[in-house]
Amino acid sequence: MIDGWKRDRIGSALRGGNPTVLRRLDAGFAVIGDTQFLPGYCVLLTDSPVSAS
């Protein structure tokens, strides 16, 4: 079963319910990666996605 916050990672981060958020940034959220390929692996989740054309 998938945790609720995993279904909507950005929405849950905006609501303060994503436990992987490290810090809110201008461009989105720095979050710790679910799978740690390297110790400290993190990613940026944008808070305003746009489609690439």
Side-chain angles (χ1 to χ4, degrees):
M1 184 174 147
I2 296 176
D3 294 324
W5 63 269
K6 285 186 178 181
R7 293 178 203 195
D8 182 14
R9 293 172 190 270
I10 296 169
S12 63
L14 288 167
R15 292 186 299 276
N18 186 332
T20 64
V21 171
L22 298 170
R23 183 162 177 97
R24 177 75 156 104
L25 304 169
D26 291 339
F29 297 92
V31 299
I32 192 137
D34 292 353
T35 304
Q36 291 290 304
F37 299 107
L38 300 168
Y41 176 76
C42 20
V43 295
L44 176 68
L45 296 179
T46 182
D47 61 357
S48 58
V50 294
S51 60
S53 301

